[in-house]
Amino acid sequence: MAERVLVLGAGFGGLELCTTLSEALGDELEVTLIDKDDAFVFVFSKLDVMFSGATADSVRLPYRDFAKRGVRVLRETVTAIEPEHKRVTTDAGVHEADVLVIALGADYDLQATPGLAECGSEFYSTAGAARLAGVIREFSGGRVVIGVCGAPFKCPPAPSECALLLHDELTARGVRGACEITFAIPLDRPVPPSPETSAALEDAFAGRGIELICGHRVAEVDANRGAATLDDGRELPFDLFLGVPRHRAPDVVIASGLAEDGYIPVDTATLETRFAGVYAVGDVATAGVPKAGVFAEGAARVVARGLIAERRAGESAERHLGRGTCYIEFGAGRVGSVDIDFLSGPNRTGSFNPPSAEQRALKQSFGAHRRARWFGR
């Protein structure tokens, strides 16, 4: 009987893990991938929906196209996780495993910021980005606040990209002069691991008249008064608010007893939890790296290579190094990037690659490679 590997969550981590196992072991394992949704969406595609005319449907990659030998994909909602038994209950039944990998990501906690849900202006979900795309197209003057409601949050450069792309949108329509843009972020700089990247973004904001407030989160949103309150009590008046909600591990993870301080602690080298044979990768885990897809993907490969090494003579496991490249839209069609290394040396590093045609091509290749690898497109 084939060993059973159960993977919860079909994001960057889950997709890469299952693909790597399928390529190396095929039918030697019985791999089951479970996700509550029916399609995958790249985080950067949500900015395309907001600013580039893409539709919510056009950026969806259906899981029915994820066809890998030895892997079955189930659309089910996880309702309970028993890590000590490697048993998972869903709305469709019970699954037992020999190896359990939790890649459920982070949920958006709109209720954690009073008024945010009522304001209806978060742009981190596909539905939220699609709703705001129409609002942005009709916006012709006034104060815009782009506010991050807590840290850590997924794709740390995305709110900066939103500010710069909004500037382009308003400029293209000839209304930028009638608008003010303020960007508030709880981090001390836009991209803390890379002073060079942060400085480049700060220069881009200054050159476009975008006010940057670092070190403070949005603690409350009052749509009726048109004001966002920061955690130091300052009020930022707005006519349009674009928010990044606070993140947290899914309720089912909290209820499982796996989480500490909101996320699942793991061995940073192997991604294994305190339960033998139970791993956590991506945004749901505390692994010493940013919450971004490229790091979930890297962590998944480490888990996969470890499982392969246990079953293949001559194969060796890998250590999680926390390396990845994040691409950043600088506006005006320009793309830069930052190469981040969190775990391979004594200090985390972030090397900045200035905006260029080469970086734009690399970003396009990044998405195209994963679409082809995972979905055959």
Side-chain angles (χ1 to χ4, degrees), residues 118-150:
E118 293 76 10
C119 190
S121 57
E122 61 81 17
F123 64 90
Y124 255 46
S125 69
T126 307
R131 181 171 56 251
L132 287 170
V135 175
I136 290 169
R137 282 194 295 270
E138 297 299 320
F139 189 77
S140 59
R143 296 163 295 191
V144 184
V145 172
I146 299 166
V148 180
C149 299

Side-chain angles (χ1 to χ4, degrees), residues 6-18 33 99-106 250 253 258 263-273 278-305 307 320:
L6 182 59
V7 183
L8 309 182
F12 268 81
L15 293 171
E16 181 61 23
L17 176 67
C18 292
L33 175 61
V99 176
L100 175 61
V101 184
I102 302 167
L104 288 168
V253 170
L258 278 162
Y263 295 96
I264 302 175
V266 295
D267 182 316
T268 55
T270 66
L271 289 308
E272 191 168 24
T273 71
V278 179
Y279 301 83
V281 300
D283 298 344
V284 76
T286 300
V289 297
K291 295 192 182 300
V294 68
F295 297 102
E297 181 183 350
R301 280 196 294 268
V302 169
V303 174
R305 298 311 308 177
L307 296 176
H320 184 218

Side-chain angles (χ1 to χ4, degrees), residues 346-372:
N347 300 304
R348 65 184 189 180
T349 61
S351 300
F352 178 54
N353 303 299
S356 67
E358 179 186 16
Q359 291 300 314
R360 173 161 290 283
L362 287 172
K363 178 185 176 180
Q364 293 170 342
S365 177
F366 175 92
H369 172 74
R370 284 150 184 82
R371 281 192 295 272

